[in-house]
Amino acid sequence: MTEKTEELDNYLDNHYIHRSNWLRAAVLGANDGILSTASIAIGVAAASDLREPVILATLAGLVAGALSMAAGEYVSVSSQTDVEKADIEREKQELAEMPEIELERLAEIYEKRGLKKDTALTVAKELTEHDALGAHIRDELGINEISQAKPIQAAFASGAAFTVGGLLPFLVTIFLPLKSMEYSLYGFALFFLIVLGALAARTGGSSIGKAIIRITFWGTVAMGLTALVGYLFNVNIG
């Protein structure tokens, strides 16, 4: 019996939705890391005849972006956590003050999902006896272990992914020839974005083709507009 339970747990852990929290933050961070640092480098390279300003601007963008992504992700996800905690506290109060109404509300939820009225009421009663608050948190508020906000995890995944993504264009600014640097940056950044899109799609179980098209299109738009700014201003900072 124990072995069957463990096998079932392992089977359920393989679902893609279990990866949604950290995967979203990691993909967002890596995508921003590649795009932000590459765009900054392209813009400066288009207006400079020296390598040093390009490297300095890219490094500054990398450090600032990674810290900003981690802090922003932590703050935003923490706000979601605060909302969840406030709703849970409110649910505790409602269960203490109006248990009958809460039981009816829970039964209505199950009835709307397809159970017969009597069956829905029976299920609601049994779950209430087992864990009233847990049942309402899961079925009324829609909060569970998979969807529950995790600020530290999101901040770390986003900041680390941004750093890894940003390092790739940064290395291009150091080692590739300065002549036509912006074109080299665009080509490599596009390659990095394609790899990222394919990995994210494979990890999340979605279409690799759609992910690649989406990420390369918007990446091209972002880098193209940044390069255009550098050319239009035609400011030589070398």
Side-chain angles (χ1 to χ4, degrees):
M1 184 65 181
T2 305
E3 291 180 359
K4 288 184 178 180
T5 303
E6 290 178 355
E7 288 177 3
L8 180 60
D9 289 340
N10 291 333
Y11 168 75
L12 293 175
D13 284 341
N14 290 328
H15 284 295
Y16 296 117
I17 192 65
H18 288 267
R19 307 169 181 170
S20 61
N21 278 333
W22 65 264
L23 181 60
R24 178 194 62 82
V27 170
L28 177 64
N31 182 74
D32 277 3
I34 295 170
L35 272 182
S36 298
T37 54
S39 296
I40 291 173
I42 288 172
V44 177
S48 175
D49 293 329
L50 296 176
R51 185 183 300 273
E52 287 76 9
V54 180
I55 294 176
L56 180 60
T58 308
L59 180 60
L62 171 59
V63 175
L67 295 176
S68 177
M69 282 293 295
E73 193 74 21
Y74 180 81
V75 170
S76 64
V77 178
S78 292
S79 297
Q80 181 183 341
T81 303
D82 291 340
V83 172
E84 291 176 354
K85 288 180 179 178
D87 264 342
I88 291 173
E89 289 302 318
R90 178 180 175 182
E91 199 61 41
K92 286 181 182 178
Q93 184 178 353
E94 290 176 349
L95 283 169
E97 295 176 354
M98 51 184 88
E100 296 82 6
I101 295 177
E102 287 297 300
L103 178 62
E104 292 176 5
R105 185 176 298 172
L106 197 61
E108 287 175 2
I109 292 172
Y110 298 141
E111 190 176 351
K112 288 179 181 178
R113 291 180 182 175
L115 295 181
K116 294 181 180 179
K117 189 170 185 178
D118 292 340
T119 305
L121 183 58
T122 301
V123 172
K125 286 180 179 178
E126 291 185 4
L127 287 176
T128 298
E129 291 173 0
H130 175 69
D131 182 6
L133 181 61
H136 283 272
I137 289 174
R138 181 182 61 253
D139 296 319
E140 186 178 346
L141 301 181
I143 300 173
N144 54 53
E145 291 182 0
I146 298 174
S147 64
Q148 193 170 20
K150 299 174 182 176
I152 297 294
Q153 182 191 67
F156 179 79
S158 186
F162 187 101
T163 301
V164 173
L167 278 173
L168 299 175
F170 178 66
L171 292 174
V172 172
T173 64
I174 295 176
F175 295 108
L176 263 68
L178 184 61
K179 186 178 180 180
S180 302
M181 172 69 76
E182 55 269 37
Y183 299 107
S184 299
L185 281 164
Y186 170 73
F188 274 94
L190 206 60
F191 172 73
F192 299 146
L193 288 173
I194 290 173
V195 173
L196 172 64
L199 287 175
R202 184 174 178 81
T203 305
S206 58
S207 170
I208 294 178
K210 287 182 179 179
I212 290 175
I213 292 172
R214 181 170 58 237
I215 202 167
T216 52
F217 173 77
W218 289 111
T220 298
V221 170
M223 290 182 287
L225 290 175
T226 309
L228 183 62
V229 170
Y231 282 116
L232 287 178
F233 279 89
N234 196 26
V235 178
N236 194 312
I237 57 176

